[in-house]
Amino acid sequence: MFEHDYLVSEPLFWLFVAATAVLVWGYYWGARENKRLYLSAFNGLVDVIKPVDQTFTNIGGAIGYHGNFVTRKDSPVEKVEATITFLARQSLLYLPVSILIRKHDRLFITLTMRQPPKEEGHLIEERYSRFRRARITNEARLNREPIRWGDSNWLVYYESGRMRDQLKKLTTAHPDPGVLRHIAVVPDQRKCFVFMIPKKGMVKKYFEPVYRWIPSLIPSKKTA
């Protein structure tokens, strides 16, 4: 009937068809899993931030999403931006490489404060700090102290004992860092940064204590 009917009797033909079907299934499975992670993470952020307005932007299809959250005018946090990027689950062929290079999904949260925090400080997981992209710009002028937070080793970077105590206060009040990897307070930029691994259902649990703690870093206004 067809010019190449003989192909249907070739094992390689059916192997090719099966591989194609697996890759197509993998694309839809991966895209769906990544979208579930995005919805879980960003719904968690909305529950914590309670924004008055929000916008979400897709990044390259199944690669990631970016969100802008506008807070109330009486909030010490002026706005929150979040970017989530995923492992390449939509590409079964590239997924092993993606896991090898990127290790895990990523959620970067930037909080712009209405007033700058008084001092710079960082809490960073020691193992994550060795990752080549986890750089602290002003590391050379900051004091450093190792601590144990939960089941992992962390480093505290601080300008003065006051900031060190504030950072340690967070670890004492919330003894399990969970999916958190880096909390940065940068007065020069009037911003705080939070990096975490966005595991499903975990973002709200571990971001909320940090979001509630950050306003304690803002100097109180002097009354006349």
Side-chain angles (χ1 to χ4, degrees):
M1 185 182 302
F2 298 106
E3 184 179 355
H4 303 294
D5 276 355
Y6 66 92
L7 285 176
V8 297
S9 62
E10 293 289 336
L12 277 178
F13 171 77
W14 292 107
L15 185 62
F16 175 78
V17 171
T20 302
V22 169
L23 291 177
V24 171
W25 170 85
Y27 174 82
Y28 287 104
W29 169 83
R32 187 172 63 247
E33 285 300 305
N34 284 351
K35 189 170 184 179
R36 284 178 179 170
L37 274 175
Y38 147 68
L39 290 174
S40 173
F42 277 43
N43 284 337
L45 292 178
V46 169
D47 287 346
V48 174
I49 299 166
K50 296 180 171 47
V52 295
D53 194 14
Q54 61 207 26
T55 57
F56 303 112
T57 307
N58 177 254
I59 304 170
I63 294 175
Y65 291 85
H66 180 78
N68 286 296
F69 306 89
V70 179
T71 59
R72 291 168 39 143
K73 289 184 177 178
D74 59 352
S75 170
V77 180
E78 182 177 333
K79 66 177 180 178
V80 181
E81 298 168 88
T83 300
I84 187 170
T85 58
F86 306 113
L87 295 172
R89 293 182 180 84
Q90 76 282 5
S91 174
L92 292 181
L93 292 177
Y94 186 68
L95 182 58
V97 178
S98 178
I99 293 173
L100 186 65
I101 295 174
R102 295 174 50 82
K103 309 292 185 189
H104 40 62
D105 305 297
R106 302 173 183 184
L107 177 59
F108 300 91
I109 306 168
T110 302
L111 298 92
T112 302
M113 312 302 296
R114 295 190 192 279
Q115 296 183 63
K118 198 168 184 178
E119 301 174 33
E120 181 169 351
H122 298 260
L123 264 172
I124 184 168
E125 187 194 34
E126 188 173 10
R127 189 171 60 176
Y128 172 68
S129 73
R130 294 195 291 266
F131 193 63
R132 58 190 171 92
R133 294 182 181 177
R135 295 181 54 204
I136 296 176
T137 304
N138 297 319
E139 179 178 351
R141 68 174 178 82
L142 297 174
N143 301 295
R144 190 179 81 165
E145 185 176 317
I147 65 166
R148 188 78 178 166
W149 190 10
D151 296 328
S152 52
N153 295 320
W154 286 66
L155 297 171
V156 183
Y157 289 87
Y158 57 93
E159 291 187 54
S160 75
R162 178 184 175 278
M163 174 55 80
R164 180 197 59 201
D165 293 344
Q166 290 275 30
L167 292 164
K168 285 188 172 182
K169 187 177 177 182
L170 174 67
T171 67
T172 302
H174 303 282
D176 179 14
V179 295
L180 292 167
R181 292 297 180 270
H182 188 185
I183 300 168
V185 181
V186 186
D188 293 349
Q189 301 180 35
R190 199 161 48 90
K191 290 179 178 176
C192 297
F193 303 91
V194 179
F195 171 68
M196 59 200 308
I197 298 171
K199 293 185 179 178
K200 204 175 296 181
M202 297 286 188
V203 169
K204 179 182 178 181
K205 178 180 179 181
Y206 293 103
F207 176 64
E208 187 163 26
V210 179
Y211 191 73
R212 305 294 173 224
W213 165 80
I214 282 175
S216 69
L217 304 174
I218 306 301
S220 57
K221 292 182 179 178
K222 294 181 179 178
T223 55

